[in-house]
Amino acid sequence: GESVGLHLPTLSVQEGDNSIINCAYSNSASDYFIWYKQESGKGPQFIIDIRSNMDKRQGQRVTVLLNKTVKHLSLQIAATQPGDSAVYFCAENTRNTGNQFYFGTGTSLTVIP
Amino acid sequence: GAVVSQHPSWVICKSGTSVKIECRSLDFQATTMFWYRQFPKQSLMLMATSNEGSKATYEQGVEKDKFLINHASLTLSTLTVTSAHPEDSSFYICSASKRDISYEQYFGPGTRLTVT
């Protein structure tokens, strides 16, 4: 499989603050990335995706930034809420090798009320 | 739409027995289904890619004879853990891609397998 890693295994933030979760990937051919949220005992839930021809993509309260030069992407969550507490994974895909996705280590986000 | 179910949601079996886990796409046809396993506090590890009507493609290090995958229809894939051992205890998750939209994956809720 591919090597996709995260810098921080845990992150605690105060409710209302912004959260930033980082992800490093090693395959320079990776061209599609997805951030997933996983709550305890459940399957991953799609948050936002970004293709390699973009540097930034915004969704509702979330922004993904992609820096292809250093093979790094981040997920920013604005005004973090207790319901955002979960484990967040980045996953990467290389289109010319198929539609398999490889997941990073994961960051556990805890929102403090 | 795009709901994926798994059955059972949890199972306990004795060492040496086999257990089958089902993954179903409820409201769409899945060209491809994927099987992952996840250990506690760890990431999802892709085990295999399953295409309807053809043999599954296994990731390096995954034993084909241990983890039998069948994708008999566009809405059903099964994973059979044969001769299960305690080290096979894990959270098994499937995902499915819609026909013609191959990069969107919809995940099932997972199956917790405990081998005693």
Side-chain angles (χ1 to χ4, degrees), chain A:
Chain A
E2 303 293 341
S3 174
V4 182
L6 292 180
H7 293 306
L8 297 174
T10 62
L11 177 65
S12 295
V13 298
Q14 290 289 138
E15 181 178 358
D17 287 352
N18 297 333
S19 302
I20 299 177
I21 300 171
N22 296 302
C23 177
Y25 63 95
S26 59
N27 186 356
S28 57
S30 297
D31 51 17
Y32 182 48
F33 305 87
I34 298 179
W35 279 101
Y36 287 97
K37 172 185 180 183
Q38 186 182 27
E39 297 176 338
S40 181
K42 298 183 179 180
Q45 177 186 359
F46 174 94
I47 300 174
I48 191 168
D49 61 353
I50 189 167
R51 298 195 181 277
S52 60
N53 61 352
M54 303 173 70
D55 297 324
K56 179 179 180 179
R57 190 155 191 238
Q58 288 184 293
Q60 187 177 10
R61 283 201 306 119
V62 294
T63 301
V64 56
L65 299 178
L66 174 62
N67 186 328
K68 295 178 288 294
T69 303
V70 296
K71 296 196 285 289
H72 178 273
L73 68 161
S74 65
L75 175 70
Q76 301 179 4
I77 305 174
T80 314
Q81 303 168 358
D84 294 328
S85 294
V87 178
Y88 290 81
F89 296 97
C90 67
E92 61 90 18
N93 168 263
T94 307
R95 273 183 290 177
N96 63 3
T97 62
N99 53 353
Q100 293 87 349
F101 279 82
Y102 297 96
F103 281 70
T105 308
T107 292
S108 177
L109 174 65
T110 300
V111 181
I112 303 166

Side-chain angles (χ1 to χ4, degrees), chain B residues 87-105:
Chain B
E87 56 265 32
D88 298 324
S89 298
S90 188
F91 194 50
Y92 291 89
I93 305 173
C94 74
S95 69
S97 290
K98 283 185 176 181
R99 206 179 178 96
D100 298 328
I101 309 178
S102 60
Y103 297 106
E104 295 185 41
Q105 287 193 33

Side-chain angles (χ1 to χ4, degrees), chain B residues 102-113:
Chain B
S102 60
Y103 297 106
E104 295 185 41
Q105 287 193 33
Y106 303 91
F107 284 83
T111 296
R112 174 75 59 194
L113 170 64

Side-chain angles (χ1 to χ4, degrees), chain B residues 33-93:
Chain B
M33 289 184 171
F34 304 88
W35 286 96
Y36 299 82
R37 69 185 297 183
Q38 184 179 31
F39 293 107
K41 299 190 184 301
Q42 294 190 23
S43 187
L44 282 74
M45 183 192 78
L46 179 64
M47 299 174 67
T49 303
S50 169
N51 292 294
E52 183 265 338
S54 61
K55 289 184 178 180
T57 302
Y58 290 81
E59 294 295 306
Q60 189 174 6
V62 178
E63 299 175 62
K64 301 178 183 181
D65 296 330
K66 175 76 171 175
F67 301 100
L68 300 179
I69 293 172
N70 182 278
H71 193 160
S73 76
L74 283 170
T75 59
L76 173 65
S77 176
T78 61
L79 167 68
T80 301
V81 183
T82 62
S83 186
H85 292 285
E87 56 265 32
D88 298 324
S89 298
S90 188
F91 194 50
Y92 291 89
I93 305 173

Side-chain angles (χ1 to χ4, degrees), chain B residues 23-39:
Chain B
C23 176
R24 293 182 185 272
S25 55
L26 299 185
D27 53 0
F28 67 98
Q29 291 187 323
T31 310
T32 308
M33 289 184 171
F34 304 88
W35 286 96
Y36 299 82
R37 69 185 297 183
Q38 184 179 31
F39 293 107

